[in-house]
Amino acid sequence: FRPNGNTTQHLTDEELTEGDPEAFAREIVQAMDLNGDERISYGEFMAYILGRRKHEVRLHLYDLTGGVAEGISPWLLGQRVEGIWHTGTVVFGKEYHYSRDAVHGDPGQTAFGKPTREIHLGYTLWRKDEFHRFISQELKPIFQRDTYDVVCNNCNHFTDHVCGFLLGK
């Protein structure tokens, strides 16, 4: 079998006889390796054998001030603030964020425009349906229009919960 994204394909007879064994081994390790150390733990191996596939998790950061905060913050706050940040989590081909309601859309094409920064956070073995169930059952009661608070319950808190679920940290 050869890993192929979220599926596994059978190797052809030609691939079995003419393939590069080292390249194939690297491909298998890359498909199973979650933390990028080029080693496969027993847990990673078992997850792969049981049909779990890794999905990249990225953080999108948007400076809501468009760069203005960095210039004026020393005068207003007495210290330099790089930006006032909105965050979204990108996984399963969508960007999930909270802005009065928990929503998702195409990555980098939300109402906040293009992200100021993108950060690779790691990989998750959760499936999309499990993640959506977590959002519906656990996060929707906490993150809704009536509970939004710019300081205490905002997009960054939502992103923290999402990343905690997806990455375990």
Side-chain angles (χ1 to χ4, degrees):
F1 292 102
R2 175 179 299 282
N4 181 18
N6 296 332
T7 63
T8 305
Q9 295 179 327
H10 290 278
L11 292 170
T12 65
D13 289 337
E14 184 177 299
E15 288 175 312
L16 285 170
T17 57
E18 295 179 10
D20 177 1
E22 287 183 27
F24 179 68
R26 281 191 299 277
E27 190 176 332
I28 292 293
V29 168
Q30 183 181 17
M32 290 186 219
D33 182 19
L34 290 177
N35 59 9
D37 63 359
E38 297 182 356
R39 295 175 186 224
I40 302 169
S41 71
Y42 180 73
E44 290 168 335
F45 174 76
M46 288 306 298
Y48 190 83
I49 294 302
L50 293 172
R52 295 290 176 156
R53 298 299 181 259
K54 69 181 187 179
H55 302 277
E56 184 180 23
V57 180
R58 298 187 66 78
L59 178 68
H60 278 188
L61 293 105
Y62 301 86
D63 179 5
L64 298 178
T65 70
V68 174
E70 191 169 18
I72 65 169
S73 60
W75 294 312
L76 293 175
L77 304 172
Q79 63 183 356
R80 184 171 303 279
V81 174
E82 196 175 335
I84 297 176
W85 301 103
H86 168 80
T87 56
T89 306
V90 178
V91 66
F92 305 116
K94 294 292 180 187
E95 182 170 345
Y96 297 84
H97 62 92
Y98 174 53
S99 173
R100 301 238 181 236
D101 287 306
V103 296
H104 69 279
D106 292 330
Q109 302 199 8
T110 66
F112 300 95
K114 291 185 96 46
T116 307
R117 278 195 258 168
E118 297 181 37
I119 301 171
H120 168 81
L121 298 178
Y123 295 95
T124 187
L125 291 173
W126 290 106
R127 292 187 320 257
K128 185 177 184 177
D129 65 310
E130 295 167 325
F131 177 55
H132 284 187
R133 189 175 314 115
F134 169 74
I135 290 175
S136 295
Q137 294 176 356
E138 303 293 326
L139 298 186
K140 284 277 188 183
I142 300 167
F143 297 98
Q144 53 183 290
R145 193 171 297 253
D146 297 339
T147 61
Y148 183 87
D149 183 281
V150 72
V151 175
C152 299
N153 198 44
N154 61 40
C155 61
N156 300 309
H157 298 97
F158 178 81
T159 297
D160 185 53
H161 283 283
V162 165
C163 290
F165 175 79
L166 291 171
L167 302 168
K169 57 182 177 180

